[in-house]
Amino acid sequence: MDARAPVSSATPPLSPLFQPVRFADLPAWLDDDHVAAFAAFRRSALKAAEKPYKSGSLGIWQSAFLAAFAAARSMAADISRSEAREFFEYWFRPHRIVGHGGFVTGYYEPEVEASLHPTDRFKVPLYRKPGDLVKIDPESPPAGMEKGFAFARSSSGSLGPYFDRQAIEEGALSGRGLELCWLEDPIDAFFIHVQGSARLKLPDGQIMRVGYAAKSGHPFTGIGRALAELGELPLEEVTMQSIRAWLKANPERQQEIMWRNRSFIFFQEMETTDPALGPVGAAKVQLTPLRSIAVDRFLHTYPTPFFLDAPELTCPTGKPFRQLVIAQDTGSAIIGPARADLFLGSGDKAGGIAGTIKHEARFFALLPAKLAGEPGR
C-alpha cells in the first residue's frame, strides 16, 4: 500500500491528462483477445456490488461504472471474443494519458516451500499484523513522525514510528506469537515482501496462499538502485535475477543491503477460489495473469480498463505487448498516472519474466462512456 493521503470522497473533475481518441487509434485493438480482460472486469463488477470502490483523484468517479457493472454481471463469464470486444466498445471510450511518459514493470506471485512450524531448515518467519500497529493519516502524522507514514506503533497511549526491517529481523517482534509460517531462505522472504504475496508449499503437500495485511509504514527503497549506487551492479543490468544473484554471492552483506529497505510487510492467509488465478489484489479479487495491473490507486479508480501499447515488451508471447488490462492492484513503487505493474502469474517462470520487464508504454484509459458525455450509458 502507498503511504500517501487518501482521496477525498468529493467527486473530482475529469483530469485534462485524458485526451479522447478512437478505438481505431489503439494499435492492434482488433487483434487482442478481450475475453480474459472481460472476465477480470466482471470479477470486479461482482465485488463492487458488495462494496463500492473508492474514486481516484483524476476524476474517474466510481459511480460512472455502475451501468457497465450491471451489464457485466448480467452476462456469462465465458462470452465470445466478439461479445467481449463489443462490451468494451459499447460501455467505454478510450483516452490517451498525455503529459507523462508511460512505464510498465512486472510482478508475480512467488512459490516457495514453507513450514507452519520452525525447524532446522525453516527458520525465516513471515509475520502476521501486530496488534500495536495502527493506521494513521499520512498527511497529519503524530508529533515526531514524518509525513507519509500510513502506519504507527501504539505504545502506552502514544503513537510513534513502528519497528523497521532491521529492528524486526533483530528480534523486535520475537516471543509475541506473530509468526504466520517459516521459510528456508531470507532472500525468498525478502522478495515475497517486495511482491506482496506468495504460494507456499507445505510439507504435507498443501498449498497455502499468503498476501499483504499491513506494512511498517517506512518508505519502500529499491535495493537494486542501492546496489547500483554502491557500484556493485550497473544500473542498466539491475533486474530481480541480478539482485538475487548478488545477494546469494555475497551472504556476508545480505542483511546490510536488505536493511536499506526499511519497509516491512505483514501477511495474512488468503482464501482463493480459483487456483489458476493469482492472489487477491487490492481490488479484492484474484488477479489474472497478463490482464491485471497494479496502478497508483490515489490517482486511478478500480477497475478501470487500460490498453497498454508497449512495442519493446515482447515477452512472454514474442510479439509487442498491446493488450487490454484491468486495474486491480496497487504497490508502493507504482506512482504516477502512466505507471503500471503487470501481473505475470505464479511461480519461477513468471518470476523470470517479471524481473526483466522495464519498458516504456503508451497508456490508453477506457473511461465509462458516461464521462465522455453519453449519460445514457
Side-chain angles (χ1 to χ4, degrees):
M1 298 290 288
D2 217 316
R4 290 176 289 154
V7 175
S8 166
S9 59
T11 301
L14 186 63
S15 170
L17 293 177
F18 296 116
Q19 180 183 79
V21 298
R22 303 168 302 161
F23 279 103
D25 297 322
L26 308 185
W29 168 256
L30 295 178
D31 297 331
D32 191 19
D33 181 354
H34 304 88
V35 173
F38 172 78
F41 180 85
R42 185 175 180 272
R43 277 188 282 275
S44 282
L46 293 169
K47 180 57 66 173
E50 301 173 10
K51 183 178 181 180
Y53 293 116
K54 293 181 179 179
S55 298
S57 64
L58 294 183
I60 309 173
W61 26 286
Q62 192 274 338
S63 59
F65 286 91
L66 294 180
F69 283 164
R73 290 193 292 264
S74 71
M75 300 169 68
D78 56 346
I79 60 177
S80 68
R81 291 183 61 160
S82 61
E83 288 173 321
R85 176 173 57 81
E86 289 165 3
F87 171 85
F88 289 108
E89 290 179 347
Y90 182 85
W91 291 106
F92 296 92
R93 297 294 175 263
H95 291 66
R96 184 179 177 186
I97 297 180
V98 298
H100 293 262
F103 193 67
V104 60
T105 50
Y107 71 118
Y108 76 113
E109 182 184 34
E111 185 172 281
V112 301
E113 295 185 53
S115 172
L116 297 179
H117 309 282
T119 68
D120 290 342
R121 177 185 174 191
F122 297 105
K123 300 178 180 179
V124 183
L126 296 181
Y127 288 99
R128 299 180 181 86
K129 178 184 175 182
D132 57 352
L133 180 71
V134 297
K135 194 166 180 59
I136 60 173
D137 181 353
E139 288 300 300
S140 301
M145 291 186 65
E146 299 177 6
K147 273 191 174 184
F149 275 68
F151 291 90
R153 180 177 176 236
S154 175
S155 178
S156 302
S158 63
L159 297 175
Y162 207 78
F163 304 118
D164 65 5
R165 178 175 298 277
Q166 179 176 350
I168 292 172
E169 293 187 354
E170 287 184 329
L173 299 181
S174 296
R176 294 173 57 176
L178 294 171
E179 295 86 356
L180 180 63
C181 59
W182 281 260
L183 310 180
E184 179 178 9
D185 187 351
I187 300 175
D188 283 340
F190 182 84
F191 279 98
I192 288 173
H193 278 237
V194 173
Q195 302 300 321
S197 63
R199 293 187 191 222
L200 306 179
K201 297 183 288 186
L202 302 179
D204 63 0
Q206 296 294 311
I207 298 294
M208 175 182 179
R209 299 181 81 166
V210 298
Y212 173 95
K215 64 185 293 185
S216 64
H218 296 277
F220 175 86
T221 299
I223 64 170
R225 183 168 293 275
L227 288 171
E229 291 172 351
L230 291 170
E232 298 293 339
L233 289 173
L235 184 59
E236 64 275 11
E237 295 180 12
V238 170
T239 64
M240 183 179 66
Q241 290 84 351
S242 66
I243 296 170
R244 273 185 171 274
W246 189 94
L247 291 172
K248 187 173 182 179
N250 296 273
E252 74 286 352
R253 297 187 64 190
Q254 280 182 17
Q255 286 187 327
E256 168 205 340
I257 297 300
M258 292 192 292
W259 285 351
R260 286 175 176 259
N261 180 22
R262 299 180 67 194
S263 176
F264 192 90
I265 304 299
F266 301 100
F267 293 89
Q268 59 187 326
E269 185 171 1
M270 306 297 289
E271 296 295 332
T272 57
T273 58
D274 190 339
L277 295 176
V280 175
K284 307 303 181 185
V285 296
Q286 284 187 258
L287 304 177
T288 304
L290 298 177
R291 296 292 175 172
S292 295
I293 59 171
V295 296
D296 188 333
R297 79 159 186 89
F298 293 100
L299 300 179
H300 293 296
T301 302
Y302 303 140
T304 300
F306 286 86
F307 189 83
L308 299 186
D309 174 28
E312 300 302 317
L313 171 54
T314 58
C315 56
T317 65
K319 299 178 181 179
F321 189 90
R322 294 181 169 116
Q323 287 191 185
L324 184 62
V325 295
I326 309 297
Q328 295 180 312
D329 205 3
T330 193
S332 297
I334 312 304
I335 299 174
R339 178 73 175 87
D341 215 9
L342 175 66
F343 178 66
L344 271 295
S346 306
D348 291 342
K349 183 178 179 181
I353 299 171
T356 65
I357 296 179
K358 295 185 293 182
H359 294 81
E360 294 181 356
R362 290 194 297 167
F363 280 63
F364 298 90
L366 271 61
L367 305 187
K370 188 172 185 177
L371 294 178
E374 301 178 33
R377 297 188 185 182

